[in-house]
């Protein structure tokens, strides 16, 4: 009997120790990779052309969530990156676009005139995450480890480096395309570390970069340089060997620039993804050497997808076209002037399918705000290629289908998202002065923009795939649960349990 009790006590102690180990065990390093404008179907489109070791390694050895959807509108870069790492949507994290309005003032999502550029003499470094309301995975990791963890963001775009890393990051580095080097801001530091200076010194000698000039984002070279910088940060900060878990956030931007310029088809886009695969393979090799393939947890996803070029669709007898919002804005103003006798403009801006009203102008003209909204809804609802036009404040009582209603609500911040939301017909997208005739864009609820890849790989990730619907804001709680740390403080997603090892 005594022996039996002893065995039971030993087993209980062992199980307790195991439970404790489960809660303290974490990978040495977490790596997030975001590929800007990568559609989910690109994994299948390019699969047979890919060698082993890059994306194929992640697919064959990792876990693929094949039905990962963005659950808000609009679907753009800044929102996507922020939602991935905060586990929530614009309704809570406050980043409502690449730019938006705050108290009637147009602002860039990371533009910050109170900080200075570090690394060059231009204004390209005047950026910070001060407009971000919520914490990120990296912020929570820093909090959990009493700020001993190192969190670094790297990208071509400032927003794609800054927003993933979070407000409490050690550093974020992005590219100054005017001078051809990586920069940061005084939000993070006063001087670049030596390893960044070395990368910049090599870039100064790069003839291909000199030839590309400020258009570097239109070349696969952009991705190679991002990889160089990510590996330099990995080694320079000794990530994964600092006594606790570190995090590296890497975003590839050239795929977005090339997609906007040349669309979803053709030699430029094909080259971009085949070269991206080389960069991912090179990054994985560096991670293996730095911490060992079994010691890092990695995920790869996208901030949004992209529509097929409207002319390409029409040439193949498929629906699609230009949504000429700039022309419609002029017509909408004329409609309000005729119907409500407005003498001044009532629209401040139309951007990514949202209408921002000029509230001061409306008040100065003694017009009723609700009357102006209703007048504009009448106009846009009858406009070509528009399915719905709704008042953001009345979405719940609108005629929007439930999925679109929820996406509108999750994408709406009452002080930053404007007044009206426009839903266009599938593959009819905003087309203005910046648009390329053969290129594409994004921003809509449709699968071409909202269905994104999601691959998990490495530490405690089992191999497999699932077609269960999951969402972009499920990524952060999944990673946090695996590390046994608290979710970001505005997290609204749910952990994807099936990716974990049994």
């Amino acid at each position: 009997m005594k022996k039996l009790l002893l065995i039971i006590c030993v087993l209980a102690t062992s199980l307790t120790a195991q439970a404790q180990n489960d809660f303290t065990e974490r990978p040495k390093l977490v790596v997030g990779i975001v590929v800007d404008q990568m559609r989910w179907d690109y994994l299948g489109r390019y699969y047979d052309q890919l060698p082993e070791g890059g994306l194929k390694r992640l697919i064959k050895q990792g876990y693929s969530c094949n039905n990962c959807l963005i659950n808000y509108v609009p679907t753009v870069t800044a929102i996507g990156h922020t939602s991935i790492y905060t586990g929530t949507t614009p309704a809570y994290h406050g980043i409502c676009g690449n730019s938006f309005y705050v108290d009637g003032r147009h602002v860039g999502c990371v533009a910050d005139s109170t900080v200075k550029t570090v690394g060059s003499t231009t204004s390209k470094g005047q950026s910070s995450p001060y407009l971000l309301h919520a914490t990120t995975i990296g912020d929570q990791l820093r909090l959990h480890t009493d700020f001993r963890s190192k969190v670094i963001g790297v990208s071509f775009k400032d927003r794609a480096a800054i927003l993933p890393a979070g407000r409490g990051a050690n550093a974020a580095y992005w590219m100054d395309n005017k001078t051809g080097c990586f920069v940061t801001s005084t939000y993070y530091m006063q001087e670049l570390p030596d390893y960044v200076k070395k990368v910049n010194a090599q870039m100064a000698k790069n003839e291909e970069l000199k030839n590309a000039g400020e258009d570097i984002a239109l070349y696969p070279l952009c991705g190679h340089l991002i990889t160089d910088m990510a590996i330099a940060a990995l080694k320079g900060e000794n990530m994964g060997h600092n006594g606790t878990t570190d995090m590296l956030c890497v975003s590839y931007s050239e795929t977005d620039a090339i997609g906007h310029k040349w669309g979803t088809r053709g030699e430029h886009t094909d080259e971009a993804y085949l070269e991206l695969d080389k960069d991912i393979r090179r990054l994985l090799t560096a991670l293996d050497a730095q911490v060992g393939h079994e010691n890092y947890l990695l995920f790869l996803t996208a901030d949004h997808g992209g529509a097929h070029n409207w002319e390409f669709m029409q040439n193949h007898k498929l629906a699609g076209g230009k949504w000429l919002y700039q022309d419609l804005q002029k017509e909408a103003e004329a409609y309000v002037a005729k119907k409500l006798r407005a003498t001044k403009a009532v629209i401040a801006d139309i951007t990514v399918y949202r209408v921002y009203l000029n509230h001061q102008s409306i008040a100065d003209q003694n017009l009723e705000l609700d009357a102006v909204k209703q007048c504009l809804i009448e106009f846009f609802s009858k406009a070509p290629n528009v399915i719905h036009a709704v008042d953001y404040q009345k979405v719940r009582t609108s005629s929007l289908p439930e999925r679109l209603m929820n996406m509108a609500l999750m994408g709406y911040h009452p002080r930053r998202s404007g007044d009206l939301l426009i839903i266009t017909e599938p593959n009819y997208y905003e087309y203005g002065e910046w648009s390329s005739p053969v290129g594409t864009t994004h921003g809509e609820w449709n699968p071409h923009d909202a269905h994104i890849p999601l691959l998990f790989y490495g530490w405690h990730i089992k191999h497999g795939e699932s077609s269960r619907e999951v969402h972009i804001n499920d990524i952060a709680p999944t990673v946090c649960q695996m590390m046994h740390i608290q979710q970001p403080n505005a997290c609204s997603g749910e952990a994807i349990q099936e990716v974990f090892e049994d």
Side-chain angles (χ1 to χ4, degrees), residues 302-355:
D303 52 349
H304 55 75
H308 292 310
N309 174 265
W310 68 271
E311 194 170 35
F312 167 86
M313 294 289 280
Q314 290 186 359
N315 288 342
H316 290 82
K317 300 181 180 179
L318 299 169
K322 298 181 286 187
W323 189 60
L324 301 172
Y325 65 99
Q326 293 173 330
D327 292 344
L328 283 176
Q329 181 171 341
K330 297 174 184 176
E331 294 176 23
E333 292 283 12
Y335 189 84
V336 174
K338 181 179 179 180
K339 197 149 192 190
L340 300 181
R341 298 183 179 180
T343 58
K344 297 179 182 178
V346 297
I347 299 175
D349 198 4
I350 299 178
T351 178
V352 282
Y353 312 98
R354 297 172 301 186
V355 180

Side-chain angles (χ1 to χ4, degrees), residues 353-357 372-374 376-377 380 389-392 417-422:
Y353 312 98
R354 297 172 301 186
V355 180
Y356 287 85
L357 298 182
V372 173
K373 286 182 178 180
Q374 188 56 43
L376 288 170
I377 287 171
F380 283 110
V390 296
D391 180 348
Y392 261 128
S417 293
D419 300 274
L420 309 179
L421 176 67
I422 309 297

Side-chain angles (χ1 to χ4, degrees), residues 30 84-87 132 134-153 162-170 245-249 299 476 479-480 483 485-488:
V30 176
I84 290 164
Y85 285 90
T86 62
L132 174 61
T135 59
T136 62
I137 301 170
D139 290 333
Q140 294 301 140
L141 183 59
R142 297 263 290 155
L143 283 164
H144 190 85
T145 62
D146 292 328
F147 300 94
R148 288 179 288 115
S149 293
K150 291 185 178 181
V151 177
I152 308 288
I162 290 169
L163 296 170
R167 293 181 67 124
N170 298 83
T245 304
D246 296 321
M247 185 166 192
L248 180 62
C249 310
F299 64 86
V479 173
C480 288
M483 291 194 290
I485 66 173
Q486 187 58 273
Q487 298 172 348

Side-chain angles (χ1 to χ4, degrees), residues 487-502:
Q487 298 172 348
N489 61 11
C491 186
S492 58
E494 298 181 3
I496 308 169
Q497 298 288 342
E498 52 262 55
V499 309
F500 306 165
E501 285 183 343
D502 296 330

Side-chain angles (χ1 to χ4, degrees), residues 224-254:
H224 305 337
L225 296 173
I226 292 168
T227 307
D228 290 344
M229 184 68 253
I231 293 173
L234 176 73
K235 296 178 179 178
E237 299 287 353
N238 200 28
M239 300 186 82
H241 295 285
N242 294 306
T244 188
T245 304
D246 296 321
M247 185 166 192
L248 180 62
C249 310
V250 184
S251 178
Y252 289 97
S253 306
E254 72 282 1

